[in-house]
Amino acid sequence: IELKARVKTHLQNVSYLLEIKHKQNKLAQLSITDHLTKVHNTLYFDSQIKGYISSGKKCWIYYIKINNFNKVNQLYGYNKANKILRMFAKILTDTAPNKAIVARLYGASFGVILKDYDKKTIKELSTKILNIFLKGFFIFFLLWLKKILVISSRFFESLNLK
């Protein structure tokens, strides 16, 4: 009976240790991940850059900022603006190579670290990212224009100008 109790206690302890280890791993992942976009955060990005500098390794760094993003917040609200940021991060992650580090630095600013690429590949990647975002911006603009036109037509309907 005593042996049975010891085995049971030991198994419980092992279970607790595994649970603690799992929670520590999750906490470590959360500490380097942006909660909104699920890409890396500034802390991780900065540590990677410092690592490259201290080791003397070369890398390419993109800094991407969405200018006047506060106007999107004002026009559509925070929920839509957050959705746009998540979509932006997903497009950036999907477009960047597997070895790239994509991070949301703050607000509507993102950074990408690329290593082990030549200038030609970087140029091609830049063009690819730019084209994807220009297409996305054009679609966003058309949706925005459609919303404005719908609001305008409702306004004119309410005036009864028939």
Side-chain angles (χ1 to χ4, degrees):
I1 296 178
E2 184 181 332
L3 182 62
K4 202 175 191 181
R6 286 183 182 191
V7 168
K8 183 179 177 184
T9 303
H10 180 70
L11 291 175
Q12 281 179 333
N13 288 342
V14 168
S15 173
Y16 292 145
L17 287 173
L18 289 174
E19 185 180 341
I20 288 170
K21 196 172 232 182
H22 173 73
K23 287 182 179 179
Q24 283 178 330
N25 288 339
K26 188 171 182 171
L27 188 59
Q29 186 63 39
L30 287 173
S31 72
I32 61 169
T33 305
D34 178 64
H35 66 83
L36 178 66
T37 59
K38 306 300 184 232
V39 296
H40 294 294
N41 62 14
T42 305
L43 179 69
Y44 184 77
F45 191 79
D46 289 347
S47 69
Q48 291 300 306
I49 290 175
K50 287 175 185 173
Y52 281 110
I53 291 170
S54 66
S55 68
K57 292 181 181 177
K58 293 184 179 182
C59 65
W60 297 88
I61 299 173
Y62 281 119
Y63 175 73
I64 303 165
K65 182 176 189 248
I66 306 172
N67 289 329
N68 300 318
F69 195 72
N70 58 342
K71 291 181 182 177
V72 174
N73 277 328
Q74 293 168 355
L75 186 62
Y76 293 104
Y78 287 107
N79 289 336
K80 295 272 186 191
N82 288 344
K83 189 174 182 180
I84 290 169
L85 285 175
R86 284 190 293 271
M87 287 172 41
F88 194 88
K90 181 168 179 12
I91 290 170
L92 209 55
T93 304
D94 291 347
T95 307
N98 290 339
K99 295 188 256 177
I101 297 169
V102 177
R104 179 173 175 220
L105 303 177
Y106 57 89
S109 297
F110 292 84
V112 181
I113 300 174
L114 299 163
K115 52 189 173 195
D116 304 328
Y117 290 98
D118 61 354
K119 202 170 190 175
K120 182 183 177 193
T121 307
I122 295 296
K123 215 172 192 180
E124 290 170 0
L125 183 63
S126 300
T127 305
K128 183 178 176 185
I129 290 172
L130 184 63
N131 287 335
I132 287 171
F133 285 120
L134 287 176
K135 283 180 192 173
F137 174 76
F138 184 68
I139 291 168
F140 177 76
F141 177 73
L142 289 177
L143 291 173
W144 175 77
L145 189 61
K146 180 181 174 187
K147 184 175 182 177
I148 296 300
L149 291 174
V150 168
I151 291 170
S152 300
S153 67
R154 287 185 185 149
F155 173 74
F156 287 119
E157 285 174 11
S158 68
L159 291 178
N160 290 326
L161 298 173
K162 296 178 184 177

